[in-house]
Amino acid sequence: MLGAMRLLASLLLSALFLTACAGPGGTARQLDPAAELEPGTLLTPASEALGPDQLAAAVADARYVLVGEGHDSACDHRVQAAIVRALSDRAPVVGLEMVSTERQDVLDRFHAGEVTVEELDGALGWEKKWGVPFALYRPIFDEAAAAQLPVAALNVPAEVVRQVSREGESALPPEVPALLPPPPEQEEMLRTAYESHAHGAQPSEEGFARFLRVQSLWDTAMAGAAKTWSRRLDRPVVVLAGAGHVSHGWGIGHRLAQLDPGAGIVEVVPWRGAEAIDPAAGDFFFYCPREER
């Protein structure tokens, strides 16, 4: 289904770019990020720039729009907020990796106007639980409040992650679907990530199996929660999650394709500009250079 959505998006955008991005000869302009692109610019896989409204038109039939991020990138979160704003006419659910399901009551109170954006940081225990400043994410919540959009916690509580890591699927709570494994083509990348996170410990096959189990838990749980929200409210869902959960159709998208067959899924992935865009990594991209810390 991801491939079909990419083909559809390409066909829709080809008409848009004839007028929006055309050069003197009538062909779409490919942009050089170092010379021309402003941070936050949305792009096609062919490096053609488009505006948020054009993106919204291209994904109009998608039930799930997955927008990746670097968690500590202010630019990434401004783009996510702009996408939420562009899609607000469809009244999507805004789904968050950053909040686990036991805090949904706080997000419900926020949607009801009982908790303000200013109060949300403390009410969620944001920085203690997520570890990234709330101020970076505030533009997203400002847009959700302005458009009165429901906001959904998609992640599982930390204690569930620990239990499933140790005990396997027998520790899954009833609301989480049976774990769906990653696609085979992702395994090499996950093995590299596992070995880089070993922190001096000796990598092992048992350790790697536990690592895969946790990755599958996160992606399956978030996909399952997104489907539940979409079907319950009959709305599309904009899923905001780390780029590793979004790119190449490997993470949340791979699970959604199995949990909700036939639903339109579109992936929007950050691009840092150091290398050429990999068209296989997403349906659309946005340019946000790496920020100095």
Side-chain angles (χ1 to χ4, degrees):
M1 189 64 200
L2 285 172
M5 285 303 301
R6 287 178 182 171
L7 177 59
L8 174 61
S10 176
L11 292 171
L12 288 170
L13 285 167
S14 63
L16 291 170
F17 291 139
L18 286 176
T19 55
C21 299
T27 56
R29 273 192 311 131
Q30 292 192 348
L31 302 178
D32 174 3
E36 300 185 61
L37 288 187
E38 290 292 327
T41 300
L42 292 161
L43 298 161
T44 71
S47 300
E48 299 158 338
L50 68 159
D53 290 343
Q54 291 173 308
L55 176 68
V59 305
D61 294 329
R63 181 164 285 272
Y64 304 100
V65 179
L66 316 182
V67 188
E69 66 175 56
H71 300 315
D72 59 355
S73 171
C75 178
D76 288 14
H77 301 311
R78 288 193 296 269
V79 173
Q80 290 174 323
I83 292 173
V84 169
R85 181 170 62 253
L87 297 177
S88 61
D89 286 349
R90 296 181 63 197
V93 179
V94 180
L96 303 175
E97 175 197 3
M98 310 89 211
V99 184
S100 53
T101 53
E102 83 274 16
R103 306 305 290 159
Q104 183 61 50
D105 63 319
V106 177
L107 296 179
D108 290 342
R109 287 162 49 214
F110 169 68
H111 178 51
E114 299 168 5
V115 175
T116 67
V117 175
E118 289 76 13
E119 297 167 329
L120 200 52
D121 183 1
L124 288 170
W126 179 277
E127 291 195 30
K128 179 179 179 181
K129 291 182 177 295
W130 186 239
V132 178
F134 179 81
L136 296 178
Y137 288 83
R138 175 161 181 161
I140 297 163
F141 291 104
D142 285 336
E143 293 297 340
Q148 297 184 312
L149 302 177
V151 184
L154 300 184
N155 218 332
V156 289
E159 57 269 24
V160 173
V161 176
R162 289 191 290 268
Q163 289 175 344
V164 172
S165 175
R166 291 192 305 263
E167 303 170 24
E169 293 197 39
S170 62
L172 283 176
E175 67 272 14
V176 176
L179 300 189
L180 297 168
E185 57 267 30
Q186 189 187 17
E187 188 165 323
E188 181 179 351
M189 183 273 286
L190 289 175
R191 185 175 292 276
T192 300
Y194 163 67
E195 292 172 354
S196 70
H197 286 81
H199 301 300
Q202 183 64 34
S204 66
E205 286 305 308
E206 179 182 355
F208 181 55
R210 292 176 63 176
F211 179 80
L212 285 183
R213 189 182 303 145
V214 170
Q215 284 293 128
S216 297
L217 169 62
W218 281 329
D219 288 329
T220 304
M222 288 191 283
K227 176 190 173 183
T228 296
W229 277 94
S230 181
R231 296 305 176 184
R232 181 191 303 160
L233 299 184
D234 193 23
R235 301 189 189 199
V237 180
V238 179
V239 175
L240 308 182
H245 297 290
V246 173
S247 65
H248 291 87
W250 287 340
I252 298 169
H254 174 67
R255 276 72 177 188
L256 278 170
Q258 297 178 68
L259 294 173
D260 198 356
I265 305 164
V266 171
E267 296 175 334
V268 187
V269 182
W271 175 61
R272 305 307 177 195
E275 300 175 352
I277 285 177
D278 175 7
D283 300 292
F284 298 97
F285 299 81
F286 58 87
Y287 173 57
C288 281
R290 296 196 183 279
E291 301 172 6
E292 297 294 330
R293 300 295 167 208

